[in-house]
Amino acid sequence: MPEDIPVTELIRSAMEARKKAYTPYSNYMVGAAVLTNELRIYTGCNIENAAYGPSVCAERTAVFKAVSEGWHRFKAIAVVGSPKGEVISQYAFPCGVCRQVLREFTDPDLFYVIVARSERDYKAYLLKELLPESFGPENLR
Ligand code: THU
């Protein structure tokens, strides 16, 4: 992983964001922290809804917060997830919809997805590994 990606800080930020998850229906709490190309960190949590469909994942909350503030290019995202009240014992991978949203604002050959169980226990993937042969903005140009 490139030196300029502050992995520990990203994971810590995702863990803090996870505490804000609004999950009365699934009780599955997720936090995410995305790093912009300018090295700013935006965080997000999952936010559920009584009508289920409007629920949004932590990753998209983080990305949309950043994009809505004018930051469109990203280097990495850290994700942590586990059921409410449990220690984080699993790696929480971004869902397919979130992978496609990340695709929109990243270079899949360079963008890192970090799934973590703790600050030291994490795995890192390039987006192209998690979303191979993807469709993106270039296809429409
Ligand atoms: N969830 C996320 O926030 N990110 C993912 O990548 C997978 C799933 C949330 C959505 C829902 O609130 C809960 O986890 C259970 O699916």
Side-chain angles (χ1 to χ4, degrees):
M1 192 149 16
E3 294 267 309
D4 63 343
I5 297 179
V7 179
T8 307
E9 194 183 349
L10 280 176
I11 294 171
R12 201 177 294 144
S13 301
M15 286 177 168
E16 274 307 300
R18 179 181 166 276
K19 295 178 185 168
K20 310 259 177 30
Y22 175 75
T23 59
Y25 308 107
S26 76
N27 280 324
Y28 189 80
M29 300 174 77
V30 185
V34 69
L35 181 71
T36 73
N37 274 8
E38 299 77 13
L39 306 182
R40 287 167 179 260
I41 294 175
Y42 281 84
T43 62
C45 61
N46 53 333
I47 304 168
E48 298 183 346
N49 188 278
Y52 291 16
S55 301
V56 67
C57 293
E59 297 91 324
R60 273 176 287 154
T61 303
V63 168
F64 293 158
K65 278 171 66 180
V67 172
S68 70
E69 304 256 324
W71 308 99
H72 289 204
R73 302 304 300 172
F74 304 111
K75 282 178 184 283
I77 192 169
V79 186
V80 297
S82 68
K84 191 174 183 173
E86 285 185 19
V87 291
I88 299 169
S89 61
Q90 54 184 260
Y91 299 106
F93 284 82
C95 79
V97 171
C98 289
R99 293 178 197 198
Q100 184 63 35
V101 167
L102 291 166
R103 170 68 178 86
E104 186 71 21
F105 303 108
T106 66
D107 179 341
D109 294 343
L110 299 175
F111 181 81
Y112 282 93
V113 176
I114 300 156
V115 289
R117 299 200 298 192
S118 72
E119 284 174 21
R120 264 177 260 153
D121 176 2
Y122 64 86
K123 300 199 277 191
Y125 301 82
L126 286 169
L127 183 59
K128 71 174 174 189
E129 299 178 84
L130 302 183
L131 192 71
E133 306 292 354
S134 61
F135 186 87
E138 306 79 29
N139 295 99
L140 301 180
R141 281 179 200 129

